[in-house]
Amino acid sequence: MIESNLNKFQVPASFPLERVGERIFVIGIGLIGGSMVLDIKSLRPEATIFGIDSNESHLDEAIALGVIDAGSTFDDLANADFVIVSVPVDAALTVLPKVLDAIGDQTIVFEVGSTKIPICEAVSNHPRRRNFIATHPIAGTEFSGPSAAITGLFQGKTNIICEVERTSFKLQEKALDLFKQMGMRIRYMDPKSHDKHIAYVSHLSHISAFMLGKTVIEKEKHEQDIFDMAGSGFESTVRLAKSSPAMWTPIFKQNRKQVVKTLEEYISNLTQFKDLLVNEDYDAIFEEMESVNRIKEILNGMSPSTLKAEAVNK
Amino acid sequence: MIESNLNKFQVPASFPLERVGERIFVIGIGLIGGSMVLDIKSLRPEATIFGIDSNESHLDEAIALGVIDAGSTFDDLANADFVIVSVPVDAALTVLPKVLDAIGDQTIVFEVGSTKIPICEAVSNHPRRRNFIATHPIAGTEFSGPSAAITGLFQGKTNIICEVERTSFKLQEKALDLFKQMGMRIRYMDPKSHDKHIAYVSHLSHISAFMLGKTVIEKEKHEQDIFDMAGSGFESTVRLAKSSPAMWTPIFKQNRKQVVKTLEEYISNLTQFKDLLVNEDYDAIFEEMESVNRIKEILNGMSPSTLKAEAVNK
């Protein structure tokens, strides 16, 4: 899918190819890729941003929005300084080896998807593996496409880097300089740990929100008024159900085993809560909720000692 | 619980009781009651706000924060223009009849809790039933206590009113004028429909978030690093797990049957999604998510015709 139109876009003859700055290529110009190059454009004004996208209208839109400077093709990757691969994770499996085939010796390629084992495996034996760095910037919104790109999306966010030892030192440095300039903090992790943990803190949240939306929509079929009653709490909990199925289906596919495991645990916890309610064990219900309340402090990243002091003062 | 300290607070001798404005009493000075009187103070500067709270430190805090003008007792309710009862819904069952016993003929009392059948039943045969209006302003945050009170919380929000015909016409008007001044839109509903629908759009979201938090925290016991990986998506989905167990346990208790039903439907949808994943039916997974995507438009309150136009332009 991603490849069908890859060769349709040529740099316009009038385009100043002789610019002095870095040549940044973004393949797949949506929320993440688009936001990355918006940041790069503002941080490194000399850089030229080239876009490659299987969706012709995305390219036009990205140019019109000023997200990229020009459309491009795989043939131009030999001159790239950076290649950002930000396509759905299933497409990444075929796009990445093609990118590595096409780049130059000094090009650093990074991919930004939400699964890491399949991505790392797909390029594990590629002769240019050392030109690749596997990343997962934990940032995003529920929107997609070029118009979803925003500046500053990565400020203060975590970027998980996997198998860093398999990237050449010089190119690691080049990528890390950019990530740090964007304001990201770096965490190193092996792909297996990444995929396991991200199932809990990201993939499960999406399914939780999608199925909450489904449960309420099913009800609403017969009761049109119900959404007049929905407040900001529902909106917040269901927000991720606006996410793109084209992006999320391959993520669930690639991380199937872990996601199934987290779902089993989630369903088991929900069932247990339901049983407490059926049995009218309100003390246990209170305690369940109270013990989860500490998510406040966890999300605030507070240390246990700070928490204790806070609790006393409340 | 709510009653233990009710008589501890007296209006200070120096307090200007002869003020010309309305006398507003708020019983239970937390997020909802506190935010209401903050709005009233700014909309009706002549009004005097009296607070009654079983928690002595809440009263002190509310005075210090400027949320109320003075502490008060049930003995003063005879002179009240408005009494806002904003205590947990279990406490409301005993507080409300006591309030109705104490008020004057022209006092309008409203209660703001998240369940309506038990509340309406608790005062159904009270001789002053016509001084009471059952409401549920669909507004809030995950915070609680006087410091959670904020101005403008109700602007643009829905206020569900139940059994409106059981409130005297003149006092209905008095309450509605206030609600409209606060920027709320009014929806009338019978208590049974309210409790049924609110289970879907509010109570279920809270359990969904609490159990998501639990599932992730259980994991985190052994993996301290996991929360470095949590992004804004997780934070949004789990936000309601910060809510007060003291407020939510009695809500779940009073709306037990409906909440159990929504939980059963939610668990069934999650299980079905899990099975699709186990069976690797990715087309069905895509379709599931795509069909829930219309939550976007539902939340935006768009009409079907607007949606169609939007979809074409995307």
Side-chain angles (χ1 to χ4, degrees):
Chain A
M1 179 173 73
I2 189 74
E3 293 151 293
S4 58
N5 288 310
L6 286 180
N7 295 314
K8 276 187 99 162
F9 283 83
Q10 301 295 335
V11 178
S14 63
F15 197 80
L17 284 180
E18 306 306 318
R19 282 181 62 169
V20 286
E22 290 162 316
R23 298 165 63 89
I24 318 283
F25 287 71
V26 54
I27 305 182
I29 312 157
L31 168 69
I32 300 297
S35 297
M36 282 214 156
V37 293
L38 277 182
D39 275 0
I40 295 174
K41 274 171 89 92
S42 86
L43 293 166
R44 303 183 178 184
E46 305 254 288
T48 308
I49 314 291
F50 299 95
I52 300 178
D53 202 303
S54 61
N55 183 331
E56 191 170 328
S57 67
H58 274 190
L59 273 178
D60 294 339
E61 193 183 349
I63 294 172
L65 289 167
V67 174
I68 62 171
D69 294 314
S72 186
T73 71
F74 274 50
D75 296 337
D76 295 320
L77 293 181
N79 302 311
D81 291 290
F82 288 89
V83 182
I84 303 165
V85 178
S86 45
V87 298
V89 293
D90 53 345
L93 299 183
T94 53
V95 168
L96 261 183
K98 278 191 59 182
V99 169
L100 292 181
D101 289 344
I103 58 172
D105 286 345
Q106 299 310 313
T107 309
I108 173 80
V109 177
F110 55 91
E111 186 274 338
V112 295
S114 192
T115 52
K116 284 286 146 291
I117 294 174
I119 304 292
C120 287
E121 278 174 0
V123 295
S124 185
N125 299 317
H126 196 284
R128 288 242 174 78
R129 175 62 185 86
R130 296 183 69 73
N131 291 65
F132 171 67
I133 186 161
T135 74
H136 181 195
I138 316 278
T141 69
E142 67 275 30
F143 305 112
S144 48
S147 63
I150 48 176
T151 50
L153 180 64
F154 306 100
Q155 187 63 46
K157 304 291 166 60
T158 301
N159 194 7
I160 314 275
I161 294 180
C162 294
E163 294 188 340
V164 69
E165 69 287 354
R166 299 210 55 196
T167 307
S168 92
F169 182 69
K170 213 170 167 179
L171 293 177
Q172 270 181 45
E173 219 170 17
K174 199 166 151 181
L176 287 177
D177 283 349
L178 182 65
F179 299 148
K180 284 177 185 164
Q181 218 183 341
M182 287 180 181
M184 289 196 269
R185 57 180 191 173
I186 306 300
R187 292 287 181 274
Y188 298 100
M189 203 171 266
D190 64 279
K192 203 173 156 189
S193 299
H194 171 276
D195 288 8
K196 185 171 132 193
H197 295 323
I198 206 71
Y200 285 91
V201 290
S202 167
H203 303 175
L204 177 60
S205 307
H206 282 78
I207 299 174
S208 157
F210 269 110
M211 291 303 104
L212 176 65
K214 182 182 177 182
T215 307
V216 177
I217 286 174
E218 278 179 340
K219 186 72 201 163
E220 183 257 357
K221 270 183 208 159
H222 310 291
E223 304 283 353
Q224 293 295 332
D225 286 345
I226 197 174
F227 288 103
D228 267 358
M229 300 176 73
S232 57
F234 175 69
E235 203 167 348
S236 166
T237 320
V238 85
R239 178 170 73 86
L240 295 179
K242 303 177 186 174
S243 303
S244 157
M247 179 176 155
W248 280 94
T249 304
I251 291 172
F252 295 143
K253 181 178 179 181
Q254 290 189 6
N255 206 21
R256 187 172 72 96
K257 282 186 187 165
Q258 290 300 334
V259 172
V260 166
K261 190 163 166 283
T262 65
L263 265 174
E264 281 167 351
E265 291 171 23
Y266 184 51
I267 291 167
S268 156
N269 283 328
L270 284 162
T271 304
Q272 192 208 336
F273 192 94
K274 190 200 72 179
D275 291 343
L276 292 177
L277 203 48
V278 168
N279 299 325
E280 307 206 53
D281 188 348
Y282 300 112
D283 289 344
I285 287 174
F286 185 97
E287 281 159 25
E288 281 277 286
M289 289 194 279
E290 198 176 41
S291 73
V292 181
N293 268 174
R294 75 184 185 90
I295 201 83
K296 276 185 253 198
E297 289 83 25
I298 293 172
L299 289 173
N300 289 342
M302 291 177 179
S303 72
S305 58
T306 323
L307 298 186
K308 219 166 175 182
E310 266 238 334
V312 170
N313 291 332
K314 264 180 186 165
Chain B
M1 178 175 69
I2 188 79
E3 293 152 290
S4 59
N5 290 308
L6 286 179
N7 294 314
K8 275 187 100 168
F9 283 81
Q10 300 297 331
V11 178
S14 62
F15 198 78
L17 285 180
E18 304 307 316
R19 281 180 65 169
V20 287
E22 291 163 316
R23 298 164 64 89
I24 319 283
F25 287 71
V26 53
I27 305 180
I29 312 158
L31 169 68
I32 299 298
S35 298
M36 283 216 156
V37 293
L38 277 181
D39 275 359
I40 294 173
K41 272 170 90 96
S42 85
L43 293 165
R44 303 183 178 183
E46 304 254 288
T48 309
I49 315 291
F50 299 95
I52 300 178
D53 203 302
S54 62
N55 183 330
E56 192 170 332
S57 68
H58 274 191
L59 273 178
D60 294 340
E61 194 183 350
I63 294 173
L65 290 166
V67 174
I68 61 170
D69 295 314
S72 186
T73 72
F74 274 49
D75 295 337
D76 295 320
L77 293 181
N79 302 312
D81 291 291
F82 289 89
V83 181
I84 304 165
V85 178
S86 45
V87 297
V89 293
D90 53 345
L93 299 183
T94 51
V95 167
L96 261 184
K98 276 192 61 183
V99 169
L100 292 182
D101 290 344
I103 58 171
D105 285 344
Q106 299 309 315
T107 310
I108 174 79
V109 177
F110 56 92
E111 185 275 339
V112 296
S114 191
T115 53
K116 284 286 146 292
I117 295 175
I119 304 291
C120 287
E121 278 175 358
V123 294
S124 185
N125 298 317
H126 196 285
R128 289 241 174 77
R129 174 61 184 85
R130 294 183 70 75
N131 290 66
F132 172 67
I133 187 161
T135 75
H136 182 195
I138 315 279
T141 70
E142 67 275 29
F143 305 112
S144 49
S147 63
I150 49 176
T151 51
L153 180 64
F154 305 100
Q155 187 63 47
K157 303 293 166 59
T158 300
N159 194 6
I160 315 274
I161 294 180
C162 294
E163 295 189 340
V164 69
E165 68 287 354
R166 298 209 57 196
T167 308
S168 92
F169 182 70
K170 214 169 165 179
L171 294 176
Q172 269 181 45
E173 220 170 15
K174 198 166 153 181
L176 287 177
D177 283 349
L178 182 66
F179 298 148
K180 285 176 184 165
Q181 218 183 343
M182 285 179 180
M184 290 196 268
R185 59 180 190 173
I186 306 300
R187 292 288 181 271
Y188 298 101
M189 202 171 265
D190 64 278
K192 203 174 156 189
S193 299
H194 171 277
D195 287 9
K196 186 172 129 192
H197 296 322
I198 206 71
Y200 285 91
V201 291
S202 168
H203 303 174
L204 177 59
S205 307
H206 282 78
I207 298 173
S208 155
F210 269 110
M211 291 304 101
L212 177 65
K214 183 182 176 181
T215 308
V216 176
I217 286 174
E218 279 178 342
K219 189 70 201 165
E220 184 256 359
K221 270 182 211 161
H222 311 289
E223 302 286 353
Q224 293 294 334
D225 284 346
I226 196 174
F227 288 102
D228 266 358
M229 301 176 73
S232 57
F234 175 69
E235 203 167 347
S236 166
T237 319
V238 86
R239 179 170 71 87
L240 295 179
K242 302 176 188 174
S243 302
S244 155
M247 180 178 154
W248 281 94
T249 305
I251 291 173
F252 296 144
K253 180 179 180 181
Q254 291 189 6
N255 206 20
R256 186 172 72 96
K257 283 188 186 162
Q258 290 299 333
V259 172
V260 166
K261 190 164 166 281
T262 64
L263 265 174
E264 280 166 354
E265 291 171 25
Y266 184 51
I267 290 168
S268 157
N269 283 328
L270 285 162
T271 305
Q272 192 207 336
F273 192 95
K274 189 201 73 182
D275 291 344
L276 291 177
L277 203 50
V278 168
N279 299 326
E280 306 206 51
D281 189 346
Y282 300 112
D283 290 342
I285 285 174
F286 184 97
E287 282 158 27
E288 281 276 288
M289 289 193 280
E290 198 175 40
S291 72
V292 181
N293 269 173
R294 74 186 185 89
I295 200 83
K296 275 185 252 196
E297 290 84 25
I298 292 173
L299 289 174
N300 289 343
M302 290 176 179
S303 72
S305 58
T306 324
L307 298 187
K308 220 164 173 182
E310 266 240 333
V312 169
N313 291 330
K314 262 179 188 166

